Amino acid sequence: MVDGFQKAALESRLGIPVIQGTDAVHGDNDVYDVTVFPHIVGLRATGDADLAYKIEFATGLEVCKVNHPKDNQNPCL
């Protein structure tokens, strides 16, 4: 889908590329068979920084596995 948008943008009159980012606040929930976590605010409320780090690390791995750009708009610790 993103490739199609990029192709159309580059072939347009202005040829301006699309910059696509991933909002993975709960995990990469726009992909089948990934882990969805509680919202980052809820994780922060636990006071467990190690848990939050592990969850964000796992989210980062899953985002990278589906070849999203490395522009994940999370974490916000």
Side-chain angles (χ1 to χ4, degrees), residues 46-68:
T46 67
D48 188 342
D50 187 51
L51 174 64
Y53 174 83
K54 288 176 183 176
I55 287 173
E56 295 309 318
F57 187 82
T59 298
L61 290 176
E62 289 182 349
V63 167
C64 289
K65 283 182 182 179
V66 294
N67 296 320
H68 283 304

Side-chain angles (χ1 to χ4, degrees), residues 19-24 63 68-74:
I19 299 173
Q20 191 265 340
T22 301
D23 186 5
V63 167
H68 283 304
K70 305 301 186 281
D71 182 28
N72 182 5
Q73 299 164 8
N74 204 36

